[in-house]
Amino acid sequence: MPQVSQLFFKAAILFLLLGIGMGLQMSISGNHNVIGAHAHTNLLGWVTSALFGTYYALNKEKAAQRLAMIQFGVYTLGVVIMVPSLYLLLQGNAGAEPFVAISSLIAFLGVAIFAFIVFAPAPAREMPRGPLAVN
């Protein structure tokens, strides 16, 4: 499996654990004011990261490109900043709002890079050389 796929799956599992933890905290406390952060953690963190990892696992030529690793870094950075800042915002800390806005733009950039990768043609494979290869 390509390295970028493994990284996306590892990040996805960490986001899933965090999302479940938030859900448990809300359930135990009876206070559901951070449900938006819980949803973003599960959808952007767990689901979307796992889908990115799956795409790259199925498209190894695109996964091998440097841009795929850049996309992982940009997208994951956006979500890693977004989740706690959104959590704090929903807890009533208005000072977290600029961080939510900036991290949302960073995550969006990560998705835009992914869209470019998906729509770009796959890199050409080098043909194997051997005694029967045609030049």
Side-chain angles (χ1 to χ4, degrees):
M1 181 181 311
Q3 181 183 15
V4 71
S5 292
Q6 291 180 13
L7 289 171
F8 268 121
F9 283 124
K10 288 176 181 179
I13 291 297
L14 294 175
F15 286 125
L16 177 61
L17 290 169
L18 180 61
I20 290 172
M22 274 192 245
L24 288 170
Q25 183 269 329
M26 287 187 299
S27 179
I28 291 167
S29 71
N31 183 349
H32 295 83
N33 65 334
V34 294
I35 197 160
H38 167 72
H40 278 74
T41 304
N42 287 325
L43 291 175
L44 295 179
W46 160 238
V47 176
T48 305
S49 294
L51 289 173
F52 288 155
T54 301
Y55 177 84
Y56 287 125
L58 296 172
N59 294 278
K60 291 176 176 43
E61 294 84 13
K62 291 187 177 189
Q65 295 177 323
R66 177 179 156 93
L67 190 56
M69 197 60 78
I70 291 170
Q71 188 260 329
F72 168 78
V74 170
Y75 180 78
T76 305
L77 175 67
V79 178
V80 163
I81 296 170
M82 182 191 305
V83 167
S85 59
L86 182 57
Y87 185 92
L88 291 171
L89 180 66
L90 295 173
Q91 289 279 39
N93 184 344
E97 190 168 6
F99 295 99
V100 174
I102 291 167
S103 62
S104 296
L105 293 172
I106 294 169
F108 177 79
L109 177 60
V111 173
I113 294 168
F114 182 72
F116 176 81
I117 291 168
V118 169
F119 286 102
R125 287 183 169 180
E126 191 172 309
M127 296 301 293
R129 299 272 181 204
L132 301 177
V134 178
N135 290 330

